[in-house]
Amino acid sequence: MMSKIIKRNGKLQDFDFDKIGRSIKSSARDCNIIINESDVKLICNLVNSKTNKLNSLNKERLISSLELKIILYESLRELGFSEIAKNYIEI
């Protein structure tokens, strides 16, 4: 699992799946979609899998917050949460 991401301002921040979960829930709420905890966990697991794959290709590389945003967007779409993905990417 990732431990740090690079923020837009260049600072390193601890990776936080709770923050990802809050973003998913907020985007769902904004488009009047009810999402349960098991769906949030499923999405977070897919994001984790994709980020782990990137990290395994280059252990020295850190993922940027923009890359993480794209990974989350793609994960939402892959799992059938297109409306939430659309709202999320517009934030």
Coordinates of all heavy atoms in Angstrom, one line a residue:
M1 N 0.8 -1.2 0.0 CA 0.0 0.0 0.0 C 0.9 1.2 0.0 O 1.9 1.3 0.6 CB -0.9 0.0 1.2 CG -1.8 1.2 1.3 SD -3.2 1.1 2.4 CE -2.5 1.1 4.0
M2 N 0.4 2.3 -0.7 CA 1.1 3.6 -0.7 C 1.2 4.2 0.7 O 0.3 4.0 1.5 CB 0.4 4.6 -1.6 CG 0.6 4.4 -3.0 SD -0.1 5.8 -3.9 CE -1.7 5.9 -3.3
S3 N 2.3 4.9 0.9 CA 2.4 5.6 2.2 C 2.3 7.1 2.0 O 1.8 7.8 2.9 CB 3.6 5.2 3.0 OG 4.7 5.4 2.2
K4 N 2.8 7.6 0.9 CA 2.8 9.0 0.6 C 2.3 9.3 -0.8 O 2.5 8.5 -1.7 CB 4.2 9.6 0.8 CG 4.9 9.3 2.1 CD 4.5 10.4 3.1 CE 5.3 10.2 4.4 NZ 4.8 11.1 5.4
I5 N 1.7 10.5 -1.0 CA 1.4 11.0 -2.3 C 2.0 12.4 -2.4 O 2.3 13.1 -1.4 CB -0.1 11.0 -2.6 CG1 -0.8 11.9 -1.7 CG2 -0.7 9.6 -2.6 CD1 -2.2 12.2 -2.1
I6 N 2.2 12.9 -3.6 CA 2.7 14.2 -3.9 C 1.6 15.1 -4.2 O 0.8 14.9 -5.1 CB 3.7 14.3 -5.0 CG1 4.9 13.3 -4.8 CG2 4.2 15.7 -5.3 CD1 5.8 13.1 -6.0
K7 N 1.4 16.1 -3.3 CA 0.3 17.1 -3.5 C 0.6 18.1 -4.6 O 1.8 18.1 -5.1 CB 0.0 17.9 -2.2 CG -0.4 17.0 -1.0 CD -1.7 16.3 -1.3 CE -2.9 17.2 -1.2 NZ -4.1 16.6 -1.5
R8 N -0.4 18.8 -5.1 CA -0.1 19.8 -6.2 C 0.9 20.8 -5.8 O 1.7 21.3 -6.7 CB -1.4 20.5 -6.6 CG -2.3 19.6 -7.5 CD -3.5 20.4 -7.9 NE -4.5 20.1 -6.9 CZ -5.7 20.6 -6.9 NH1 -6.1 21.5 -7.7 NH2 -6.6 20.2 -6.0
N9 N 1.0 21.1 -4.6 CA 2.0 22.1 -4.1 C 3.4 21.5 -3.9 O 4.3 22.2 -3.5 CB 1.6 22.8 -2.9 CG 1.4 21.9 -1.7 OD1 1.8 20.7 -1.7 ND2 0.9 22.4 -0.6
G10 N 3.5 20.2 -4.2 CA 4.8 19.6 -4.1 C 5.1 18.9 -2.8 O 6.1 18.2 -2.6
K11 N 4.3 19.2 -1.8 CA 4.5 18.6 -0.5 C 4.0 17.1 -0.5 O 3.2 16.7 -1.2 CB 3.7 19.4 0.6 CG 4.2 20.7 0.8 CD 3.5 21.4 2.0 CE 4.1 22.8 2.2 NZ 3.4 23.5 3.3
L12 N 4.7 16.3 0.4 CA 4.3 15.0 0.6 C 3.2 14.9 1.6 O 3.3 15.6 2.6 CB 5.5 14.1 1.0 CG 6.6 13.9 0.0 CD1 7.7 13.1 0.6 CD2 6.1 13.3 -1.3
Q13 N 2.2 14.0 1.4 CA 1.2 13.8 2.4 C 1.0 12.3 2.6 O 1.1 11.6 1.6 CB -0.1 14.5 1.9 CG -1.3 14.3 2.9 CD -2.5 15.1 2.4 OE1 -2.5 15.7 1.3 NE2 -3.5 15.0 3.2
D14 N 0.6 11.9 3.8 CA 0.3 10.5 4.0 C -0.9 10.1 3.2 O -1.9 10.9 3.1 CB 0.0 10.3 5.5 CG 1.3 10.4 6.4 OD1 2.4 10.2 5.8 OD2 1.1 10.7 7.6
F15 N -0.9 8.9 2.6 CA -2.0 8.4 1.9 C -3.1 8.0 2.9 O -2.8 7.4 3.9 CB -1.6 7.2 1.0 CG -2.7 6.8 0.1 CD1 -3.0 7.5 -1.0 CD2 -3.4 5.6 0.4 CE1 -4.0 7.0 -1.8 CE2 -4.4 5.2 -0.4 CZ -4.7 5.9 -1.5
D16 N -4.3 8.4 2.6 CA -5.4 8.2 3.5 C -6.6 7.7 2.8 O -7.3 8.4 2.1 CB -5.7 9.5 4.2 CG -6.8 9.4 5.3 OD1 -7.3 8.4 5.5 OD2 -7.0 10.5 5.9
F17 N -6.9 6.4 3.0 CA -8.1 5.8 2.4 C -9.4 6.4 2.9 O -10.4 6.4 2.3 CB -8.1 4.3 2.5 CG -7.4 3.6 1.4 CD1 -6.2 3.0 1.6 CD2 -8.0 3.6 0.1 CE1 -5.5 2.4 0.5 CE2 -7.3 3.0 -1.0 CZ -6.1 2.4 -0.8
D18 N -9.4 6.8 4.2 CA -10.6 7.5 4.7 C -10.9 8.7 3.9 O -12.1 9.0 3.7 CB -10.4 7.8 6.2 CG -10.3 6.6 7.1 OD1 -10.9 5.6 6.7 OD2 -9.7 6.7 8.2
K19 N -9.9 9.5 3.5 CA -10.1 10.7 2.7 C -10.7 10.3 1.3 O -11.6 11.0 0.9 CB -8.8 11.4 2.5 CG -8.9 12.8 1.9 CD -7.6 13.5 1.9 CE -7.8 14.9 1.3 NZ -6.5 15.6 1.3
I20 N -10.2 9.2 0.8 CA -10.8 8.7 -0.5 C -12.3 8.4 -0.3 O -13.1 8.7 -1.1 CB -10.0 7.5 -1.0 CG1 -8.6 7.8 -1.3 CG2 -10.7 6.9 -2.2 CD1 -8.2 8.2 -2.6
G21 N -12.5 7.7 0.8 CA -13.9 7.3 1.1 C -14.8 8.5 1.2 O -16.0 8.5 0.7
R22 N -14.3 9.5 1.9 CA -15.1 10.7 2.1 C -15.4 11.4 0.8 O -16.5 11.9 0.5 CB -14.4 11.7 3.1 CG -14.5 11.2 4.5 CD -14.0 12.3 5.5 NE -12.7 12.8 5.2 CZ -11.6 12.3 5.7 NH1 -11.6 11.2 6.5 NH2 -10.4 12.8 5.5
S23 N -14.4 11.4 -0.1 CA -14.6 12.0 -1.5 C -15.6 11.3 -2.3 O -16.4 11.9 -2.9 CB -13.2 12.0 -2.2 OG -12.3 12.8 -1.6
I24 N -15.6 10.0 -2.2 CA -16.6 9.1 -2.9 C -18.0 9.4 -2.4 O -18.9 9.7 -3.1 CB -16.3 7.6 -2.7 CG1 -15.0 7.3 -3.4 CG2 -17.4 6.8 -3.3 CD1 -14.4 5.9 -3.1
K25 N -18.1 9.5 -1.1 CA -19.4 9.7 -0.4 C -19.9 11.1 -0.8 O -21.1 11.3 -1.0 CB -19.4 9.5 1.1 CG -19.2 8.1 1.5 CD -18.9 8.0 3.0 CE -18.5 6.6 3.4 NZ -18.2 6.5 4.8
S26 N -19.0 12.1 -0.7 CA -19.4 13.5 -1.0 C -19.9 13.6 -2.5 O -20.9 14.2 -2.8 CB -18.2 14.4 -0.8 OG -18.5 15.7 -1.2
S27 N -19.2 13.0 -3.4 CA -19.6 13.0 -4.8 C -20.9 12.3 -5.0 O -21.8 12.8 -5.8 CB -18.5 12.4 -5.7 OG -17.3 13.2 -5.7
A28 N -21.1 11.2 -4.3 CA -22.4 10.5 -4.5 C -23.5 11.3 -3.9 O -24.6 11.5 -4.6 CB -22.3 9.2 -3.7
R29 N -23.3 11.9 -2.8 CA -24.3 12.8 -2.2 C -24.7 14.0 -3.1 O -25.8 14.3 -3.2 CB -23.8 13.3 -0.8 CG -24.8 14.0 0.1 CD -24.3 14.3 1.5 NE -22.9 14.7 1.6 CZ -21.9 14.0 2.0 NH1 -22.1 12.8 2.5 NH2 -20.7 14.5 2.1
D30 N -23.6 14.6 -3.7 CA -23.9 15.7 -4.6 C -24.7 15.4 -5.8 O -25.4 16.3 -6.3 CB -22.5 16.3 -5.1 CG -21.8 17.0 -4.0 OD1 -22.3 17.3 -2.9 OD2 -20.6 17.3 -4.2
C31 N -24.7 14.1 -6.2 CA -25.6 13.7 -7.3 C -26.7 12.8 -6.9 O -27.3 12.1 -7.7 CB -24.8 13.1 -8.5 SG -23.7 11.8 -8.1
N32 N -27.1 12.9 -5.6 CA -28.2 12.3 -5.0 C -28.2 10.8 -5.2 O -29.3 10.1 -5.5 CB -29.6 12.9 -5.5 CG -29.7 14.3 -5.1 OD1 -29.5 14.7 -4.0 ND2 -30.1 15.1 -6.1
I33 N -27.1 10.2 -5.0 CA -26.9 8.7 -5.1 C -26.5 8.2 -3.8 O -25.6 8.7 -3.1 CB -25.9 8.3 -6.2 CG1 -26.4 8.7 -7.6 CG2 -25.6 6.8 -6.1 CD1 -25.3 8.5 -8.7
I34 N -27.2 7.2 -3.3 CA -26.9 6.5 -2.0 C -25.9 5.4 -2.3 O -26.1 4.6 -3.2 CB -28.1 5.9 -1.4 CG1 -29.1 7.1 -1.0 CG2 -27.8 5.1 -0.1 CD1 -30.5 6.6 -0.6
I35 N -24.7 5.5 -1.6 CA -23.7 4.5 -1.8 C -23.4 3.9 -0.4 O -23.3 4.6 0.6 CB -22.4 5.1 -2.4 CG1 -21.4 4.0 -2.8 CG2 -21.8 6.2 -1.5 CD1 -20.4 4.5 -3.7
N36 N -23.3 2.6 -0.4 CA -23.1 1.9 0.9 C -21.6 1.7 1.2 O -20.8 1.8 0.3 CB -23.9 0.6 1.1 CG -23.6 -0.4 0.0 OD1 -22.4 -0.6 -0.3 ND2 -24.6 -1.0 -0.6
E37 N -21.3 1.4 2.4 CA -19.9 1.2 2.9 C -19.2 0.1 2.1 O -18.0 0.2 1.8 CB -19.8 0.9 4.4 CG -20.0 2.1 5.2 CD -19.0 3.2 5.0 OE1 -17.8 2.9 4.8 OE2 -19.4 4.4 5.0
S38 N -19.9 -1.0 1.7 CA -19.3 -2.1 1.0 C -18.9 -1.6 -0.4 O -17.9 -2.1 -0.9 CB -20.2 -3.3 0.9 OG -21.4 -3.1 0.2
D39 N -19.7 -0.7 -1.0 CA -19.3 -0.2 -2.3 C -18.1 0.7 -2.2 O -17.2 0.6 -3.0 CB -20.5 0.6 -3.0 CG -21.6 -0.3 -3.5 OD1 -21.3 -1.5 -3.8 OD2 -22.7 0.2 -3.5
V40 N -18.1 1.5 -1.2 CA -16.9 2.4 -0.9 C -15.7 1.5 -0.7 O -14.6 1.8 -1.3 CB -17.1 3.3 0.3 CG1 -15.9 4.1 0.6 CG2 -18.3 4.3 0.0
K41 N -15.8 0.5 0.0 CA -14.6 -0.4 0.3 C -14.2 -1.1 -1.0 O -13.0 -1.2 -1.3 CB -15.0 -1.5 1.3 CG -13.8 -2.3 1.8 CD -14.2 -3.2 3.0 CE -13.0 -3.9 3.4 NZ -13.2 -4.6 4.6
L42 N -15.1 -1.5 -1.8 CA -14.8 -2.1 -3.1 C -14.0 -1.1 -4.0 O -13.0 -1.5 -4.6 CB -16.1 -2.5 -3.8 CG -16.0 -3.2 -5.2 CD1 -15.3 -4.6 -5.1 CD2 -17.4 -3.3 -5.8
I43 N -14.5 0.1 -4.1 CA -13.8 1.1 -4.9 C -12.4 1.4 -4.3 O -11.4 1.4 -5.1 CB -14.6 2.4 -4.9 CG1 -16.0 2.2 -5.6 CG2 -13.9 3.6 -5.6 CD1 -17.0 3.3 -5.3
C44 N -12.3 1.5 -3.0 CA -11.0 1.8 -2.4 C -10.0 0.6 -2.6 O -8.8 0.8 -2.9 CB -11.1 2.0 -0.9 SG -11.8 3.6 -0.5
N45 N -10.6 -0.6 -2.6 CA -9.7 -1.8 -2.9 C -9.2 -1.8 -4.3 O -8.0 -2.1 -4.6 CB -10.5 -3.1 -2.6 CG -10.6 -3.4 -1.2 OD1 -9.9 -2.8 -0.3 ND2 -11.6 -4.2 -0.8
L46 N -10.0 -1.4 -5.3 CA -9.6 -1.3 -6.7 C -8.5 -0.2 -6.8 O -7.5 -0.4 -7.5 CB -10.8 -1.0 -7.6 CG -10.4 -1.0 -9.1 CD1 -9.7 -2.3 -9.6 CD2 -11.7 -0.8 -9.9
V47 N -8.7 1.0 -6.2 CA -7.8 2.0 -6.2 C -6.4 1.5 -5.6 O -5.4 1.8 -6.2 CB -8.3 3.3 -5.4 CG1 -7.2 4.3 -5.2 CG2 -9.4 3.9 -6.2
N48 N -6.5 0.8 -4.5 CA -5.3 0.3 -3.8 C -4.6 -0.7 -4.8 O -3.4 -0.6 -4.9 CB -5.7 -0.4 -2.5 CG -4.5 -0.8 -1.7 OD1 -3.5 0.0 -1.6 ND2 -4.6 -2.0 -1.1
S49 N -5.3 -1.5 -5.4 CA -4.7 -2.5 -6.4 C -4.0 -1.8 -7.5 O -2.9 -2.1 -7.9 CB -5.8 -3.4 -6.9 OG -5.4 -4.2 -7.9
K50 N -4.7 -0.7 -8.0 CA -4.0 0.0 -9.2 C -2.8 0.8 -8.7 O -1.8 0.8 -9.4 CB -5.0 1.0 -9.8 CG -6.1 0.3 -10.6 CD -7.1 1.3 -11.1 CE -8.1 0.5 -12.0 NZ -8.7 1.4 -13.0
T51 N -2.9 1.4 -7.5 CA -1.7 2.1 -7.1 C -0.6 1.2 -6.7 O 0.6 1.5 -6.9 CB -2.1 3.0 -5.9 OG1 -2.6 2.3 -4.8 CG2 -3.0 4.1 -6.3
N52 N -0.9 0.0 -6.1 CA 0.1 -1.0 -5.8 C 0.8 -1.5 -7.1 O 2.0 -1.7 -7.1 CB -0.5 -2.2 -5.1 CG -0.7 -1.9 -3.6 OD1 -0.2 -0.9 -3.1 ND2 -1.6 -2.7 -3.0
K53 N 0.0 -1.6 -8.1 CA 0.6 -2.1 -9.4 C 1.6 -1.0 -9.9 O 2.7 -1.4 -10.4 CB -0.5 -2.3 -10.4 CG 0.0 -2.9 -11.7 CD -1.2 -3.2 -12.7 CE -0.6 -3.8 -14.0 NZ -1.7 -4.2 -14.9
L54 N 1.2 0.3 -9.9 CA 2.1 1.3 -10.3 C 3.4 1.3 -9.4 O 4.5 1.5 -10.0 CB 1.4 2.7 -10.2 CG 0.5 3.1 -11.3 CD1 -0.2 4.4 -11.0 CD2 1.2 3.1 -12.6
N55 N 3.2 1.2 -8.1 CA 4.4 1.2 -7.2 C 5.3 0.0 -7.5 O 6.5 0.1 -7.3 CB 3.9 1.2 -5.8 CG 3.4 2.6 -5.4 OD1 3.8 3.6 -6.0 ND2 2.6 2.6 -4.3
S56 N 4.7 -1.1 -7.9 CA 5.5 -2.3 -8.1 C 6.4 -2.2 -9.3 O 7.5 -2.8 -9.4 CB 4.7 -3.6 -8.2 OG 4.0 -3.6 -9.4
L57 N 6.0 -1.3 -10.2 CA 6.8 -1.1 -11.4 C 8.0 -0.2 -11.2 O 9.0 -0.4 -11.8 CB 5.9 -0.4 -12.5 CG 4.7 -1.2 -13.0 CD1 3.9 -0.4 -14.0 CD2 5.2 -2.5 -13.7
N58 N 7.9 0.6 -10.1 CA 9.0 1.5 -9.8 C 8.8 1.9 -8.3 O 8.0 2.7 -8.0 CB 9.0 2.7 -10.6 CG 10.2 3.7 -10.3 OD1 10.9 3.5 -9.3 ND2 10.4 4.7 -11.2
K59 N 9.5 1.2 -7.4 CA 9.4 1.4 -6.0 C 9.8 2.8 -5.5 O 9.4 3.2 -4.4 CB 10.1 0.3 -5.3 CG 9.6 -1.1 -5.6 CD 10.0 -2.1 -4.6 CE 9.6 -3.5 -4.9 NZ 8.2 -3.7 -5.2
E60 N 10.6 3.5 -6.3 CA 11.1 4.8 -5.9 C 10.1 5.9 -6.3 O 10.1 7.0 -5.7 CB 12.4 5.1 -6.6 CG 13.5 4.1 -6.4 CD 14.0 4.1 -4.9 OE1 14.2 5.2 -4.4 OE2 14.1 3.0 -4.4
R61 N 9.2 5.6 -7.1 CA 8.2 6.6 -7.7 C 7.1 6.8 -6.7 O 6.5 5.9 -6.1 CB 7.7 6.0 -9.0 CG 6.7 7.0 -9.7 CD 6.3 6.3 -11.0 NE 5.4 7.1 -11.8 CZ 4.1 7.3 -11.5 NH1 3.6 6.7 -10.5 NH2 3.4 8.0 -12.3
L62 N 6.7 8.1 -6.5 CA 5.6 8.5 -5.7 C 4.4 8.9 -6.7 O 4.7 9.4 -7.8 CB 5.9 9.7 -4.8 CG 6.9 9.4 -3.7 CD1 7.3 10.6 -3.0 CD2 6.4 8.3 -2.8
I63 N 3.2 8.6 -6.3 CA 2.1 9.0 -7.1 C 1.6 10.3 -6.7 O 1.5 10.7 -5.5 CB 1.0 7.9 -6.9 CG1 1.5 6.6 -7.5 CG2 -0.3 8.3 -7.6 CD1 0.5 5.4 -7.3
S64 N 1.3 11.1 -7.7 CA 0.8 12.5 -7.5 C -0.7 12.5 -7.1 O -1.4 11.5 -7.5 CB 1.0 13.4 -8.7 OG 0.2 13.1 -9.7
S65 N -1.2 13.6 -6.5 CA -2.6 13.7 -6.2 C -3.4 13.7 -7.5 O -4.5 13.1 -7.5 CB -2.9 14.9 -5.3 OG -2.4 16.1 -6.0
L66 N -2.9 14.2 -8.6 CA -3.6 14.2 -9.8 C -3.7 12.8 -10.4 O -4.8 12.4 -10.8 CB -2.9 15.1 -10.9 CG -3.6 15.1 -12.2 CD1 -5.0 15.6 -12.2 CD2 -2.8 16.0 -13.2
E67 N -2.7 12.0 -10.3 CA -2.7 10.6 -10.8 C -3.7 9.8 -9.9 O -4.5 9.0 -10.4 CB -1.3 10.0 -10.6 CG -0.3 10.5 -11.7 CD 1.0 9.9 -11.4 OE1 1.6 10.1 -10.3 OE2 1.6 9.3 -12.4
L68 N -3.7 10.1 -8.6 CA -4.6 9.4 -7.7 C -6.1 9.8 -8.1 O -7.0 8.9 -8.1 CB -4.4 9.8 -6.3 CG -5.2 9.0 -5.2 CD1 -5.0 7.5 -5.4 CD2 -4.8 9.5 -3.8
K69 N -6.3 11.0 -8.4 CA -7.7 11.5 -8.8 C -8.1 10.7 -10.1 O -9.2 10.3 -10.2 CB -7.7 13.0 -9.1 CG -9.1 13.5 -9.4 CD -9.1 15.0 -9.3 CE -10.5 15.5 -9.5 NZ -10.7 16.9 -9.0
I70 N -7.2 10.6 -11.0 CA -7.5 9.9 -12.3 C -7.8 8.4 -12.0 O -8.7 7.8 -12.5 CB -6.4 10.1 -13.3 CG1 -6.4 11.5 -13.8 CG2 -6.6 9.1 -14.5 CD1 -5.1 11.9 -14.6
I71 N -7.0 7.8 -11.1 CA -7.1 6.4 -10.8 C -8.5 6.2 -10.1 O -9.2 5.2 -10.4 CB -6.0 5.9 -9.9 CG1 -4.7 5.8 -10.7 CG2 -6.3 4.6 -9.2 CD1 -3.5 5.6 -9.8
L72 N -8.9 7.1 -9.2 CA -10.2 7.0 -8.6 C -11.3 7.1 -9.6 O -12.3 6.4 -9.6 CB -10.3 8.0 -7.4 CG -11.7 8.0 -6.7 CD1 -12.1 6.6 -6.2 CD2 -11.6 8.9 -5.5
Y73 N -11.2 8.1 -10.5 CA -12.2 8.3 -11.5 C -12.4 7.0 -12.4 O -13.5 6.6 -12.6 CB -11.8 9.5 -12.4 CG -12.6 9.7 -13.6 CD1 -13.9 10.2 -13.6 CD2 -12.1 9.3 -14.9 CE1 -14.6 10.4 -14.7 CE2 -12.9 9.4 -16.0 CZ -14.1 10.0 -15.9 OH -14.9 10.1 -17.1
E74 N -11.3 6.5 -12.8 CA -11.3 5.3 -13.6 C -11.9 4.1 -12.9 O -12.7 3.3 -13.4 CB -9.9 4.9 -14.1 CG -9.4 5.9 -15.1 CD -7.9 5.6 -15.5 OE1 -7.2 4.8 -14.8 OE2 -7.4 6.2 -16.5
S75 N -11.6 4.0 -11.6 CA -12.1 2.9 -10.8 C -13.6 3.0 -10.6 O -14.4 2.0 -10.7 CB -11.4 2.9 -9.4 OG -10.0 2.7 -9.6
L76 N -14.1 4.2 -10.4 CA -15.5 4.5 -10.2 C -16.3 4.1 -11.5 O -17.3 3.4 -11.5 CB -15.8 5.9 -9.9 CG -15.5 6.4 -8.5 CD1 -15.4 7.9 -8.4 CD2 -16.6 5.9 -7.5
R77 N -15.7 4.4 -12.7 CA -16.3 4.1 -13.9 C -16.3 2.6 -14.2 O -17.3 2.0 -14.6 CB -15.7 4.8 -15.1 CG -16.0 6.3 -15.1 CD -15.5 7.1 -16.3 NE -15.9 6.4 -17.5 CZ -17.0 6.6 -18.2 NH1 -17.9 7.5 -17.7 NH2 -17.2 6.0 -19.4
E78 N -15.2 2.0 -13.9 CA -15.1 0.5 -14.1 C -16.1 -0.3 -13.3 O -16.5 -1.3 -13.7 CB -13.7 0.0 -13.7 CG -12.6 0.3 -14.7 CD -11.2 -0.1 -14.3 OE1 -11.1 -1.2 -13.6 OE2 -10.3 0.6 -14.5
L79 N -16.4 0.2 -12.1 CA -17.3 -0.5 -11.2 C -18.8 -0.1 -11.4 O -19.6 -0.5 -10.6 CB -16.9 -0.3 -9.7 CG -15.5 -1.0 -9.4 CD1 -15.1 -0.6 -8.0 CD2 -15.6 -2.5 -9.5
G80 N -19.0 0.8 -12.4 CA -20.4 1.1 -12.7 C -20.9 2.4 -12.0 O -22.1 2.6 -12.0
F81 N -20.1 3.1 -11.4 CA -20.5 4.3 -10.7 C -20.2 5.6 -11.6 O -19.5 6.5 -11.1 CB -19.8 4.5 -9.4 CG -20.1 3.3 -8.4 CD1 -19.2 2.3 -8.2 CD2 -21.3 3.3 -7.8 CE1 -19.5 1.2 -7.4 CE2 -21.6 2.2 -6.9 CZ -20.7 1.2 -6.7
S82 N -20.7 5.6 -12.8 CA -20.4 6.6 -13.8 C -20.8 8.0 -13.4 O -20.1 9.0 -13.6 CB -21.0 6.3 -15.2 OG -20.4 5.1 -15.6
E83 N -22.0 8.1 -12.8 CA -22.5 9.4 -12.3 C -21.7 10.0 -11.2 O -21.4 11.2 -11.2 CB -24.0 9.3 -11.9 CG -25.0 9.3 -13.0 CD -24.9 10.5 -13.9 OE1 -25.0 11.6 -13.3 OE2 -24.9 10.4 -15.1
I84 N -21.3 9.1 -10.3 CA -20.4 9.6 -9.2 C -19.1 10.0 -9.8 O -18.5 11.0 -9.4 CB -20.3 8.5 -8.1 CG1 -21.6 8.2 -7.5 CG2 -19.3 8.9 -7.0 CD1 -21.6 7.0 -6.6
A85 N -18.5 9.2 -10.7 CA -17.3 9.5 -11.3 C -17.3 10.9 -12.0 O -16.4 11.7 -11.9 CB -16.9 8.4 -12.4
K86 N -18.4 11.1 -12.8 CA -18.5 12.4 -13.5 C -18.5 13.6 -12.5 O -17.9 14.6 -12.6 CB -19.8 12.4 -14.3 CG -20.1 13.7 -15.0 CD -21.4 13.6 -15.8 CE -21.6 14.9 -16.5 NZ -23.0 15.0 -17.1
N87 N -19.3 13.4 -11.4 CA -19.3 14.4 -10.4 C -18.0 14.6 -9.7 O -17.5 15.7 -9.4 CB -20.4 14.1 -9.3 CG -20.5 15.2 -8.3 OD1 -19.8 15.2 -7.3 ND2 -21.5 16.1 -8.5
Y88 N -17.3 13.5 -9.4 CA -16.0 13.5 -8.7 C -15.0 14.3 -9.5 O -14.2 15.1 -9.0 CB -15.5 12.1 -8.4 CG -14.1 12.1 -7.9 CD1 -13.8 12.4 -6.6 CD2 -13.0 11.7 -8.7 CE1 -12.5 12.4 -6.1 CE2 -11.8 11.7 -8.2 CZ -11.5 12.0 -7.0 OH -10.2 12.0 -6.5
I89 N -14.9 14.0 -10.8 CA -13.9 14.6 -11.7 C -14.1 16.1 -11.9 O -13.2 16.9 -12.1 CB -13.7 13.9 -13.0 CG1 -12.3 14.0 -13.6 CG2 -14.8 14.3 -14.0 CD1 -11.2 13.3 -12.8
E90 N -15.3 16.5 -11.7 CA -15.6 18.0 -11.9 C -15.3 18.8 -10.7 O -15.3 20.0 -10.7 CB -17.1 18.1 -12.2 CG -17.5 17.6 -13.6 CD -19.0 17.6 -13.9 OE1 -19.8 18.0 -13.0 OE2 -19.3 17.3 -15.0
I91 N -15.0 18.1 -9.6 CA -14.7 18.9 -8.3 C -13.4 19.6 -8.4 O -12.4 19.1 -8.9 CB -14.7 17.9 -7.1 CG1 -16.1 17.4 -6.9 CG2 -14.2 18.6 -5.8 CD1 -16.2 16.4 -5.8

